[in-house]
Amino acid sequence: SVLNAFYIGFSFFILFAAYNPTEAYMTRLYPKVGFIALGIIYFSFCVFSNISSPIIARFGPRACMIAGSIPYALFIASNLLSIEYLTYAAALLIGLGAALLWPAQGAYMARLGNYSLQGDAAAGAGEKGPKKTNMGLLSGIFFLLNGFCNIVGFLITNFLAITPTVLVTVMSAISAVGILSMCFMRFVPPIEPKKDDVQTHAEPERRGVLGCLGGYFAPLVRLMINPDMLLFQLTFIFYGCFYSFFAGAVPPLITTAAYVSPCLICRGVANMICSVLLGKAGDRWGRF
């Protein structure tokens, strides 16, 4: 499971080593188009995330991660043509792709954690007491590599001193390699439901299109208004406000272009260190 976490993290590392610098420099080189494109990306991500769950359940997380990564390469390549509305269309596709990519990544990591837990349980069948999961470690490994992509991606843009056209060409090629690497991710079997879950979640009766939509969105609404989830949503809102400011407003505020990469590299280093430390802390002391 640890090797699988390294591999999926490495695939995301390649993809986002290309995408993150492109996103950061886009708001600096093309402020108007960049701001609107980022708004389209994250608004469509929010909308499409509500319907991605049944798609991931139907096709599996590995296929959805591959499909969800393709729009990132298309968005990077669309900057070669410098056509405003083509960039907006590619941004809309990224929102759809991200709605598949990130929930599928979470489902895949959950399968890895369950797979590892089952292996530990089989190895220590005679031991008493609950088995501890290493989900925190696996997530920490993934986000360590995800933070490392910021370092490598911005080092490429900083030291090569390349023009925007060459930058987009190089990053498009790197993103294509990232998509290709995802095609070789190992298949991890789905988590088998417990007997109680199977009994309580019987197959629903046929209720037509509206009935099916109601049956899907009603549990989603109940989850969103759950008191624990409402408290958790404050974290999501804070992160959304932070990232929209960081991605959209920070790069143009850096007056010297040469300083953009070092600043964002520092963020990548902090992300790497905290990912591993907090992942291990979650395994040891639990999630608060």
Side-chain angles (χ1 to χ4, degrees):
S1 293
V2 173
L3 291 178
N4 289 330
F6 265 110
Y7 187 84
I8 183 178
F10 181 71
S11 298
F12 274 68
F13 156 76
I14 299 174
L15 178 65
F16 285 94
Y19 173 74
N20 288 347
T22 305
E23 181 187 73
Y25 275 92
M26 189 175 183
T27 54
R28 180 176 178 82
L29 297 174
Y30 315 106
K32 177 187 173 183
V33 176
F35 281 125
I36 295 176
L38 289 181
I40 294 173
I41 288 173
Y42 293 105
F43 178 77
S44 58
F45 182 19
C46 176
V47 173
F48 290 131
S49 293
N50 294 295
I51 60 173
S52 63
S53 179
I55 300 175
I56 296 171
R58 173 64 179 85
F59 296 101
R62 186 176 62 166
C64 289
M65 280 189 285
I66 296 170
S69 63
I70 294 174
Y72 286 86
L74 296 178
F75 177 79
I76 297 171
S78 69
N79 289 279
L80 286 171
L81 301 177
S82 298
I83 300 176
E84 183 175 345
Y85 291 101
L86 179 62
T87 302
Y88 296 156
L92 183 66
L93 288 178
I94 278 199
L96 176 59
L100 292 175
L101 182 68
W102 289 106
Q105 179 269 336
Y108 189 85
M109 296 299 291
R111 289 187 182 186
L112 285 182
N114 182 71
Y115 183 74
S116 175
L117 189 62
Q118 289 178 347
D120 292 342
E127 299 179 6
K128 297 181 180 180
K131 303 297 179 182
K132 289 187 177 181
T133 179
N134 63 346
M135 187 64 197
L137 174 62
L138 300 179
S139 297
I141 291 172
F142 172 82
F143 285 105
L144 180 146
L145 292 170
N146 192 51
F148 188 54
C149 76
N150 291 314
I151 299 175
V152 174
F154 289 111
L155 280 175
I156 293 174
T157 60
N158 189 51
F159 289 107
L160 292 183
I162 48 185
T163 63
T165 301
V166 178
L167 171 66
V168 172
T169 303
V170 171
M171 294 307 179
S172 298
I174 294 175
S175 64
V177 174
I179 296 170
L180 182 62
S181 68
M182 288 190 183
C183 297
F184 297 96
M185 284 188 299
R186 179 182 178 183
F187 172 77
V188 181
I191 300 174
E192 294 294 335
K194 298 179 181 179
K195 293 182 179 180
D196 295 339
D197 294 336
V198 175
Q199 293 174 357
T200 56
H201 294 81
E203 185 175 344
E205 58 181 345
R206 299 184 181 275
R207 295 169 293 178
V209 176
L210 294 179
C212 291
L213 289 175
Y216 172 71
F217 284 105
L220 183 64
V221 173
R222 287 197 297 268
L223 177 64
M224 292 179 66
I225 63 176
N226 181 281
D228 293 335
M229 183 56 70
L230 287 174
L231 183 63
F232 198 44
Q233 285 176 23
L234 295 176
T235 306
F236 298 151
I237 295 172
F238 170 78
Y239 182 77
C241 294
F242 156 75
Y243 195 79
S244 62
F245 173 77
F246 183 85
V250 170
L253 291 176
I254 302 175
T255 55
T256 304
Y259 293 159
V260 174
S261 292
C263 291
L264 298 178
I265 286 172
C266 291
R267 172 180 176 258
V269 172
N271 190 1
M272 290 174 57
I273 296 173
C274 293
S275 294
V276 177
L277 293 179
L278 294 178
K280 287 296 293 181
D283 287 338
R284 185 174 181 83
W285 294 297
R287 296 170 179 83
F288 301 100

